[in-house]
């Protein structure tokens, strides 16, 4: 993956030959992102004044599947979590930001 201002560019590399998979047009610069295992989805957070968390699907790369407006300052970390130790599919997204807040989002409906 490569992050360019306002875009997430996904590459797959086979034998050191990168192949463009998808370009996702984000709403602002990207500060951090994480892939959701088992899905063709990823989550991103803004680089500057956009404090929202967005979940993107590769099937519709220009429309976020979901957006969460919870933090009041820059979101610095995000991680997909399994609901239980027996679950292999991440069903929650945890985020933390400079405002001191930690959020846990349930993704089972997405």
């Amino acid at each position: 993956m490569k992050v360019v201002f306002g875009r997430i560019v996904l590459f797959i590399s086979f034998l050191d030959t990168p192949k463009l998979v998808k370009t996702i047009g984000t709403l602002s610069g990207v500060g951090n992102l994480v892939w959701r295992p088992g899905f063709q989805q990823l989550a991103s957070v803004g680089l500057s004044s956009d404090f929202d968390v967005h979940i993107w699907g590769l099937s519709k790369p220009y429309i976020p599947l979901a957006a969460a407006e919870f933090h009041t300052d820059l979101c610095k970390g995000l991680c997909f979590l399994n609901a239980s130790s027996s679950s292999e599919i991440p069903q929650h997204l945890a985020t933390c930001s400079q405002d001191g807040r930690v959020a846990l989002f349930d993704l089972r409906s997405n």
Side-chain angles (χ1 to χ4, degrees):
M1 274 184 278
K2 179 180 177 184
V3 177
V4 180
F5 186 80
R7 295 196 186 285
I8 300 168
V9 182
L10 303 173
F11 290 95
I12 293 180
S13 195
F14 296 103
L15 303 173
D16 298 324
T17 305
K19 176 185 174 190
L20 177 65
V21 175
K22 194 69 72 168
T23 299
I24 297 174
T26 61
L27 304 174
S28 67
V30 176
N32 200 350
L33 58 94
V34 63
W35 188 260
R36 185 178 183 191
F39 291 81
Q40 290 193 348
Q41 297 175 353
L42 55 91
S44 71
V45 293
L47 182 61
S48 57
S49 61
D50 180 10
F51 307 141
D52 299 344
V53 177
H54 294 96
I55 298 182
W56 304 90
L58 295 185
S59 61
K60 296 180 182 177
Y62 291 98
I63 303 169
L65 295 173
E69 299 175 6
F70 178 76
H71 297 291
T72 59
D73 204 342
L74 291 177
C75 190
K76 290 301 210 175
L78 62 166
C79 178
F80 285 105
L81 304 169
N82 295 342
S84 67
S85 59
S86 64
S87 174
E88 295 182 18
I89 298 173
Q91 297 179 354
H92 294 87
L93 175 65
T95 63
C96 62
S97 75
Q98 290 183 170
D99 61 12
R101 293 171 148 185
V102 175
L104 184 64
F105 301 99
D106 188 340
L107 302 173
R108 286 177 277 196
S109 62
N110 290 327

